[in-house]
Amino acid sequence: EDKVVQSPLSLVVHEGDTVTLNCSYEVTNFRSLLWYKQEKKAPTFLFMLTSSGIEKKSGRLSSILDKKELFSILNITATQTGDSAVYLCAVGSGNTPLVFGKGTRLSVIA
Amino acid sequence: GAGVSQSPRYKVAKRGQDVALRCDPISGHVSLFWYQQALGQGPEFLTYFQNEAQLDKSGLPSDRFFAERPEGSVSTLKIQRTQQEDSAVYLCASSLMGTLPDTQYFGPGTRLTVL
């Protein structure tokens, strides 16, 4: 059975801190790994990763995939209160739709 | 439209009632997905359409759940004889391409509460 595990489950940091969120996976026929940010309702797309070692970057957020060790990290630098959200990791494999982890709840306090 | 829209945003049903949840995907998106998200959990797959064809319904928890997308655009998820365990947020997502996997864009969800 495909499995996606995120850690930590929750995290509290102060504004300006840098955080690293982890996502490990066990799937057959891996195709891609996606990161989403979920604030109120709709998960909003952040990154899609398909190749090992290539960093994707958007502003203060960046992510990288290690297909050998089967994990990805999402980094957020200089955190702001607006970064507070649940960050979801999902994996697409073969002909199955996305399998999600439980998410990491990030709280950034001023 | 600009994004995926869902209606209603909130639905309260008495146990045993039937409900219908609507999803309008991004215009031109071939694939449409339904997910169920319980409190504190990640979304879990329910069913998937490519155009009007339902290609995978393996995630539907029981035969009380039924989904359709008759014209390959709008989709409806119907839950018959609702039970308290059906209470969750139901998310719809669409993607442009007909092949998996592809970036999925989510709607705001419908929060269903069954009393």
Side-chain angles (χ1 to χ4, degrees), chain B residues 1-4 24-30 69 73 94 96:
Chain B
V4 179
D24 283 85
I26 294 172
S27 178
H29 276 199
V30 171
R69 193 186 185 197
S73 178
S94 69
L96 179 60

Side-chain angles (χ1 to χ4, degrees), chain A residues 91-110:
Chain A
V91 174
S93 61
N95 289 321
T96 60
L98 296 176
V99 177
F100 282 85
K102 292 187 177 182
T104 293
R105 179 174 296 278
L106 174 65
S107 299
V108 181
I109 54 179

Side-chain angles (χ1 to χ4, degrees), chain B residues 3-4 8 10 15 20-21 24 30 38 43 52 59 61 67 76 82 84 87 89 94 105 114-115:
Chain B
V4 179
Y10 303 90
R15 194 173 63 172
L21 313 180
D24 283 85
V30 171
E52 68 278 3
T76 303
T82 52
Q84 285 188 323
S87 296
V89 174
S94 69
Y105 297 93
V114 181
L115 302 177

Side-chain angles (χ1 to χ4, degrees), chain A residues 2 8 10 12-13 15 23 32 49 51 54 59 61-62 66 71-72 87 93 106-107 110:
Chain A
D2 294 346
S10 65
V12 181
V13 301
E15 270 191 319
C23 176
S32 65
L49 303 158
S51 301
I54 298 175
L61 277 67
S62 64
D66 186 328
F71 77 92
S72 173
Y87 290 84
S93 61
L106 174 65
S107 299

Side-chain angles (χ1 to χ4, degrees), chain B residues 65-79:
Chain B
F65 286 70
F66 171 76
E68 59 183 5
R69 193 186 185 197
E71 297 178 358
S73 178
V74 171
S75 177
T76 303
L77 176 68
K78 297 179 180 177
I79 309 173

Side-chain angles (χ1 to χ4, degrees), chain A residues 31-95:
Chain A
R31 292 282 294 277
S32 65
L33 184 145
L34 293 87
W35 284 97
Y36 288 86
K37 177 182 181 182
Q38 187 172 30
E39 292 178 86
K40 296 291 186 182
K41 287 284 175 60
T44 54
F45 172 75
L46 295 175
F47 300 111
M48 174 189 268
L49 303 158
T50 56
S51 301
S52 271
I54 298 175
E55 185 182 54
K56 291 278 184 89
K57 196 170 172 64
S58 176
R60 296 176 294 102
L61 277 67
S62 64
S63 183
I64 197 161
L65 173 68
D66 186 328
K67 290 169 73 173
K68 182 179 178 184
E69 300 298 329
L70 307 184
F71 77 92
S72 173
I73 59 172
L74 175 69
N75 278 321
I76 308 174
T77 59
T79 51
Q80 301 171 357
T81 54
D83 296 326
S84 297
V86 174
Y87 290 84
L88 293 166
C89 171
V91 174
S93 61
N95 289 321

Side-chain angles (χ1 to χ4, degrees), chain B residues 46-90:
Chain B
L46 294 176
T47 186
Y48 153 60
F49 292 85
Q50 184 171 317
N51 295 307
E52 68 278 3
Q54 189 175 20
L55 298 189
D56 188 342
K57 55 181 180 179
S58 62
L60 296 176
S62 78
D63 59 8
R64 296 185 295 103
F65 286 70
F66 171 76
E68 59 183 5
R69 193 186 185 197
E71 297 178 358
S73 178
V74 171
S75 177
T76 303
L77 176 68
K78 297 179 180 177
I79 309 173
Q80 298 176 323
R81 304 181 304 280
T82 52
Q83 304 293 315
Q84 285 188 323
E85 61 263 29
D86 300 335
S87 296
V89 174
Y90 290 85

